[in-house]
Amino acid sequence: MRVALFITCVNDTLFPGTGKAVVSLLRRLGCDVDFPAAQTCCGQMHVNTGYREEGVRLARHFTEVFAGYDAVVAPSGSCAAMVREQYPKLAKPGSRGAAAIAEVTPKVYELSEFLIDVLKVQDVGAYFPHRVTYHPTCHSLRGLHLGDRPTRLLRNVRGLELVPLPGAEECCGFGGTFAVKNPAVSAAMGADKTRSIMDTGAEVLCAADNSCLMHIGGTLSRQQTGVRTMHLAEILASTEEAQ
Amino acid sequence: MSATFIGMPGNFPQNSKKAVQNSQLRFNLRKATHTIRGKRASVVGELPDWQELRAAGKAIKDHTLHHLDRYLLQLEEAVTRAGGTVHWARDAAEANRIVTDLVKATGETEVVKVKSMATQEIELNQALAAHGITAYETDLAELIVQLGDDFPSHILVPAIHRNRSEIREIFLDKMPHVTPDLTDDPPALAEAARLHLRERFLRSKVAISGANFMVAETGTLVVLESEGNGRMCLTLPETLISVVGIEKLLPSWRDLEVFLQLLPRSSTGERMNPYTSMWTGATEGQDFHLVLLDNGRTDVLADEVGRQALRCIRCSACLNVCPVYERAGGHAYGSVYPGPIGAILTPQLRGMSSELDASLPFASSLCGACYEACPVAIDIPEVLVDLRAKAPHAAAERAGMKVAGWILNDHQRLAKAQRAATRVRKLVPKRLPGPLSAWTDTRDIPEIPEESFRDWWERNERA
Ligand code: SF4
């Protein structure tokens, strides 16, 4: 299967390790992986902060870059939700843009969706002997309805002990520019989230979105908790040989 | 006389910053919202057809809003036929004038009130006070707010920010018959309030209410409540004046079936609410006036995305699940409508010319919990995003977003920017300046990697 990676601008710039993990994971599972070089950003930050015009331009760019692939895989619940849920609302019904969006968006998958729904694998042959807790980010949970797909994958990782996160469904307080526009509330939400994470006794906090992990991880690190954050792809990509 | 939100200074980030630092408030709010959230979730979970009910509620409201003119005229006719008098009020000032004149005509200087959001929205109590008329709130939480000269902070439980001992203090201070042996047990507090109110009910000749629903077909008004105080107000006085937003309409009596299931489960987490009062026009021995309030609603109706806010049945489920409301508290929103629904309704009703109102559409992390909880499926995040596009933006932010948009519009520009960031990666300070300091005040920033993904790919795959 010819798969295009939509690595997302945040991962591309700040978390290249996640992108590399997706590449090695998908190749291990037999996919022919391509990274269309012209890709940039889905436009979520612009649209959600009230800059619709710029957002629409980025959406148009996205549909041009990813037209013609069998599947587009993104290691970000939030960006996948942006494309699938919000793009259709950006174009005038019946317009050319709307047709392009209707053509591309159904083929866009978040990583765990792609593994379970398209490749039909639950055990990706990973090995990660650590105590891990999982935070289902809001857009994965309520935008994409990922359900237990990520935790099903984690449960099949050898050596991994998955511990439940209290209040898992509560927002961590990142919310894109919300973290900067409403810093007090965002920090308070982040502090409550890190407290729940500490209560689990986990070594690693895992999620399907590096933006949320950047916010929670930044808080965990400032508080010197010693808990690491890791993207789902990185755990799924790790094998016994790699350890 | 309880305070009003008129001309609240500040903006949401400033207001909520204070609230976040108040640990008593954070504790009270967390406890209250989590309790009611849990109750709601369990009674909603009991109904296998909840999603169908929710869709039905949405559809009925949308249909009504689409034909609002027709149904309002039908309602007017039905109420008039049943002996009531209908008044139309374009805005708060007009509604307040109508009600004040009606009360004056009775010669009374005191009125009792059934809890009503519409009368709070128009600041009726203050308008009446300006004409020497005292309005007494009879809902327990509303009474606490009024006696404490405080602002309401929740749609359903206006005194949610107060705990038992604070309420006891207010009662000791403001209720003439209360003695210092009053405990802070809920039954004792309720009993004190009951004695305080009973006298008012028996004395009052005029009552003012709102309504949860109005039925166009029959001209019936419906009030749902938990304490029974509303029922006392509705039945005892000689004159009843109801002030109701024009969006509270339902076409037919049968439609109530859907909403009498949706509302109590969503709001108090009960299968059925304890007191449902319905009345049609004037009953024997009582004059009835209905004031139909617009106050910005037809403008909201004209907005394609924003109009869904008019489906709201004021259940407050969205407040109780909102992580931002839970930390910021209701006062930060500077309006009688706090929480997620307030963040979209207030700027639509009042416009975004004040700093506070312009900050409300940003008072959300867009986590989507409100949409999921809303019994009439109002897509609050969608409306928030739409309002953000209409809200004023600071010049510096506009410039920054433009630059970011320009860089992101072309992968070569993006790659250049990434390489520039990589070159200075060792120089990035731990504390960032300007608006980004908000990030580094409580969080560490991630390290900029040596190489972007795109450059890594280029080096390994295309070589
Ligand atoms: S927006 Fe929905 S959840 Fe919120 S108060 Fe209104 S009806 Fe209830």
Side-chain angles (χ1 to χ4, degrees):
Chain A
M1 175 159 336
R2 199 163 157 66
V3 182
L5 294 180
F6 172 48
I7 229 65
T8 82
C9 63
V10 167
N11 287 325
D12 178 13
T13 309
L14 292 173
F15 304 98
T18 296
K20 295 178 207 172
V22 178
V23 173
S24 80
L25 173 66
L26 292 183
R27 287 204 175 132
R28 200 168 79 214
L29 297 171
C31 295
D32 180 4
V33 185
D34 189 21
F35 173 79
Q39 66 178 277
T40 56
C41 162
C42 65
Q44 185 179 189
M45 177 181 77
H46 281 97
V47 171
N48 283 355
T49 316
Y51 296 81
R52 218 183 116 104
E53 239 174 82
E54 277 92 346
V56 167
R57 227 174 297 145
L58 291 168
R60 193 175 308 128
H61 183 69
F62 182 96
T63 53
E64 280 161 16
V65 171
F66 289 102
Y69 282 94
D70 299 334
V72 181
V73 178
S76 161
S78 176
C79 302
M82 171 71 193
V83 173
R84 280 226 311 261
E85 304 298 304
Q86 279 177 271
Y87 273 17
K89 293 178 187 168
L90 291 178
K92 257 193 232 79
S95 66
R96 252 193 30 222
I101 286 167
E103 170 73 29
V104 173
T105 52
K107 292 186 237 161
V108 176
Y109 299 92
E110 182 278 333
L111 177 66
S112 71
E113 278 178 322
F114 181 72
L115 296 174
I116 290 188
D117 301 353
V118 182
L119 296 187
K120 314 258 184 242
V121 286
Q122 314 235 358
D123 184 344
V124 297
Y127 172 73
F128 190 73
H130 298 281
R131 204 174 150 89
V132 175
T133 193
Y134 183 78
H135 170 59
T137 60
C138 299
H139 292 168
S140 303
L141 191 70
R142 285 177 283 265
L144 289 181
H145 303 285
L146 285 190
D148 68 347
R149 287 181 186 82
T151 44
R152 252 190 281 164
L153 292 162
L154 287 174
R155 281 208 180 82
N156 284 311
V157 173
R158 274 175 312 119
L160 188 146
E161 185 196 350
L162 187 65
V163 285
L165 177 63
E169 305 200 343
E170 278 195 40
C171 176
C172 69
F174 172 60
T177 46
F178 174 76
V180 175
K181 283 184 173 277
N182 283 283
V185 177
S186 169
M189 289 161 71
D192 289 346
K193 183 58 78 181
T194 52
R195 201 168 311 122
S196 312
I197 295 164
M198 296 309 291
D199 285 347
T200 66
E203 302 159 62
V204 176
L205 171 72
C206 174
D209 246 300
N210 272 328
S211 317
C212 308
L213 285 178
M214 177 172 72
H215 159 77
I216 306 173
T219 310
L220 286 166
S221 149
R222 178 60 60 86
Q223 295 171 356
Q224 308 197 315
T225 58
V227 179
R228 276 189 295 158
T229 55
M230 274 177 89
H231 192 281
L232 178 68
E234 290 163 33
I235 293 182
L236 297 183
S238 73
T239 55
E240 202 141 3
E241 303 82 66
Q243 286 287 316
Chain B
M1 188 52 55
S2 78
T4 77
F5 282 113
I6 260 191
M8 281 275 283
N11 54 41
F12 187 82
Q14 279 166 16
N15 302 346
S16 56
K17 188 171 176 190
K18 273 182 238 140
V20 160
Q21 283 155 359
N22 181 341
S23 53
Q24 177 73 69
L25 175 69
R26 286 256 307 263
F27 179 82
N28 294 353
L29 276 172
R30 182 178 171 83
K31 191 161 178 250
T33 55
H34 281 246
T35 306
I36 195 163
R37 194 190 284 194
K39 274 175 73 183
R40 176 201 161 270
S42 77
V43 296
V44 162
E46 283 173 0
L47 290 188
D49 61 347
W50 180 256
Q51 290 309 333
E52 282 90 36
L53 267 173
R54 192 172 176 244
K58 171 182 189 278
I60 293 169
K61 279 282 184 183
D62 278 345
H63 167 84
T64 316
L65 291 169
H66 196 71
H67 304 284
L68 195 59
D69 48 349
R70 194 177 93 207
Y71 286 124
L72 280 169
L73 290 175
Q74 193 186 2
L75 174 84
E76 179 181 36
E77 206 214 289
V79 171
T80 312
R81 204 181 328 121
T85 311
V86 176
H87 311 259
W88 300 82
R90 222 162 305 154
D91 54 21
E94 198 172 0
N96 286 334
R97 198 169 56 239
I98 293 168
V99 177
T100 309
D101 288 347
L102 287 170
V103 178
K104 274 189 181 161
T106 65
E108 295 294 318
T109 54
E110 286 183 3
V111 301
V112 283
K113 283 188 68 202
V114 186
K115 182 181 173 341
S116 133
M117 296 304 296
T119 59
Q120 282 194 25
E121 176 189 322
I122 59 173
E123 273 126 12
L124 177 66
N125 292 8
Q126 288 70 24
L128 289 172
H131 288 88
I133 300 161
T134 313
Y136 293 104
E137 295 292 347
T138 64
D139 172 82
L140 181 54
E142 208 67 81
L143 176 70
I144 293 163
V145 170
Q146 188 176 43
L147 292 178
D149 200 19
D150 194 1
F151 295 110
S153 73
H154 188 278
I155 292 177
L156 192 77
V157 201
I160 197 168
H161 54 292
R162 299 289 202 178
N163 62 24
R164 289 193 272 158
S165 57
E166 290 174 305
I167 294 167
R168 175 178 174 271
E169 293 296 318
I170 293 171
F171 282 10
L172 273 180
D173 201 31
K174 295 288 172 62
M175 285 182 179
H177 305 300
V178 165
T179 52
D181 59 1
L182 176 71
T183 67
D184 64 4
D185 269 353
L189 294 172
E191 184 58 22
R194 192 171 296 130
L195 288 173
H196 177 79
L197 288 171
R198 176 153 307 162
E199 193 207 345
R200 297 232 188 286
F201 290 135
L202 294 173
R203 209 172 57 201
S204 295
K205 302 255 184 328
V206 182
I208 297 177
S209 85
N212 292 95
F213 305 103
M214 305 185 285
V215 180
E217 170 185 62
T218 57
T220 306
L221 269 71
V222 187
V223 160
L224 279 71
E225 46 148 353
S226 309
E227 295 166 3
N229 292 341
R231 173 162 296 186
M232 301 282 276
C233 296
L234 293 167
T235 49
L236 289 175
E238 291 161 11
T239 302
L240 173 60
I241 305 167
S242 301
V243 182
V244 189
I246 51 172
E247 83 285 13
K248 295 265 157 158
L249 211 51
L250 297 176
S252 74
W253 184 264
R254 274 193 60 176
D255 298 322
L256 277 173
E257 176 236 0
V258 172
F259 294 93
L260 294 184
Q261 295 183 72
L262 287 175
L263 184 53
R265 281 181 203 257
S266 305
S267 61
T268 48
E270 292 165 307
R271 296 186 181 93
M272 213 178 168
N273 68 296
Y275 297 91
T276 303
S277 302
M278 306 191 182
W279 68 101
T280 307
T283 43
E284 220 185 287
Q286 195 181 58
D287 257 353
F288 173 63
H289 295 271
L290 170 60
V291 182
L292 291 170
L293 177 72
D294 184 329
N295 205 31
R297 285 162 175 75
T298 44
D299 295 336
V300 182
L301 194 59
D303 189 288
E304 223 175 292
V305 179
R307 70 168 63 119
Q308 54 186 310
L310 295 180
R311 293 205 295 262
C312 177
I313 55 173
R314 312 280 188 264
C315 71
S316 69
C318 58
L319 278 65
N320 298 328
V321 297
C322 177
V324 175
Y325 174 85
E326 183 188 324
R327 273 93 183 173
H331 292 163
Y333 296 80
S335 149
V336 294
Y337 304 112
I341 182 63
I344 61 168
L345 194 57
T346 305
Q348 289 199 85
L349 290 175
R350 296 204 296 221
M352 289 189 276
S353 55
S354 82
E355 195 190 336
L356 175 70
D357 292 338
S359 72
L360 290 178
F362 299 92
S364 166
S365 64
L366 304 180
C367 80
C370 50
Y371 178 28
E372 197 176 64
C374 178
V376 284
I378 300 173
D379 192 341
I380 295 176
E382 181 188 27
V383 183
L384 285 167
V385 167
D386 191 62
L387 287 170
R388 288 176 183 189
K390 295 169 182 156
H393 296 272
E397 184 191 285
R398 261 202 325 266
M401 284 293 193
K402 263 222 149 68
V403 171
W406 182 78
I407 292 173
L408 290 171
N409 226 323
D410 180 284
H411 69 282
Q412 278 151 351
R413 285 198 283 261
L414 175 59
K416 266 194 202 130
Q418 286 169 337
R419 284 180 215 125
T422 299
R423 277 196 294 280
V424 299
R425 58 195 283 268
K426 296 283 175 224
L427 306 173
V428 177
K430 282 251 172 291
R431 307 261 168 178
L432 297 175
L436 293 176
S437 66
W439 183 275
T440 51
D441 278 349
T442 55
R443 288 157 287 220
D444 288 340
I445 40 172
E447 265 183 46
I448 297 173
E450 274 176 58
E451 186 181 42
S452 68
F453 176 83
R454 115 183 8 257
D455 280 349
W456 173 82
W457 177 275
E458 193 66 30
R459 201 159 49 77
N460 284 275
E461 305 293 323
R462 300 232 201 272

